[in-house]
Amino acid sequence: MSLQELVDISRFYGANPDYVIAGGGNTSFKEGASKGGVLFVKGSGTSLGDITPQGFVRMDRAKLARIWETAYPQDADEREAAVLADMMAAKLPGEDGKRPSVETLLHDILPFTYVVHTHPALVNGLTCSQEGETAARELFGEGCIWIPITNPGYTLSQAVKKALDAYLAHNGKPADTIFLQNHGIFAGAGSVEGIKAIYAKILSVLGEKIKRKPDFSGKTGTYQDSEAIAEALAACTGQNSTVVFERNAEFARLTADAAGFAPASSAFTPDHIVYSGSNPLFIAITDGRPLGEQVRDAWNHHLAATGRPPKIAAVQGRGIFGIGSSEKTALLALELFADTAKVAAYSESFGGPRFMTRDKIDFINNWEVERYRSGVVEKS
Ligand SMILES: [Zn+2]
């Protein structure tokens, strides 16, 4: 049991796109007595794939435990700010300038030496599906906990703590697997081998249940008039922006018509909102009208309806356009949309897709604004 093993397992999952994309996910290791001791948790702004020991923040577990005895304000914004302040104050000396993961409390309350939290598309095919909870119970028995969709931060930690406490009281042992609806999975174990065993089992059981895998074959960066459409989209942003395009078998399927796009037409998880937006724009193309005009009309209509410029435009008969202020952000939008397409395809095996609810989507959109303002932007 060591910090080095935490680094190794973090890189193991972080370097595998089946588990981690766009720097998402976080990991931790506990050292010392169960209630006191030190929690090493992934720091904000670091990526699991190339993390070093310095990428982890050392936290005082006794101080983190005190958060559960503290009465916080009723107002959600005030409460989150107060908890964040207490979390920052729980850093051990020498950790100044680092920010612990926003999911630190979840890592602390899971009573396992190692905790690995990820957002694999295959797992989210379950957590973002109509029958996910029932399927999770059928496939993984009583060993797992299912947490219904919950706002992130302290609210989510509270929901998980309650469920963990109830599980422990009922079963006499802690739950080691937590499915978070419309978010991802937490796994805890006393060793890295234990973590790997949990993940391997879950991914193999889910893999066997999948009736249709997404098909990303036939990938191309241009198709028909995609360059003219990209220019028209860039013009709509009214600023310097980059538009990237991809077509493949899965995207062709999704952009065949408006009905075909329905399974990818909203947001599955907070990460999808952060990188590819909560409202992808579907543009139906009518023959005979100038393309630029159709793109502009659809853009303006979308902007008026949602109040936000889209990061993804799905254009009928063409494919998917990622839109960003730089090539990096445009490609990230496209990458997260590809993940959306995967989740949508996997969810077909569990009763079809289940998007985040409108109020939870609005919370993330506003939360992101707040975090950008305060400089606490993290992918988790
Ligand atoms: Zn997460």
Side-chain angles (χ1 to χ4, degrees), residues 205-267:
V205 168
L206 290 177
E208 279 169 22
K209 279 280 153 190
I210 295 303
K211 293 184 199 120
R212 186 180 80 83
K213 283 188 182 160
D215 177 6
F216 292 102
S217 65
K219 177 178 166 175
T220 175
T222 57
Y223 188 76
Q224 291 184 9
D225 36 25
S226 64
E227 285 170 22
I229 294 172
E231 268 177 45
L233 285 166
C236 289
T237 65
Q239 60 195 26
N240 274 339
S241 60
T242 304
V243 178
V244 292
F245 172 75
E246 185 174 328
R247 177 183 173 87
N248 54 48
E250 198 65 24
F251 288 179
R253 180 190 175 106
L254 285 168
T255 53
D257 51 35
F261 191 64
S265 59
S266 185

Side-chain angles (χ1 to χ4, degrees), residues 24-26 101-103 106 117-119 156 180 183-186 270-271 379-380:
N26 40 61
S101 159
V102 70
E103 280 153 345
L106 289 170
H117 165 54
T118 59
H119 315 139
L156 176 60
L180 304 174
H183 183 154
I185 180 173
F186 271 83
D271 268 14
K379 302 147 285 197
S380 48

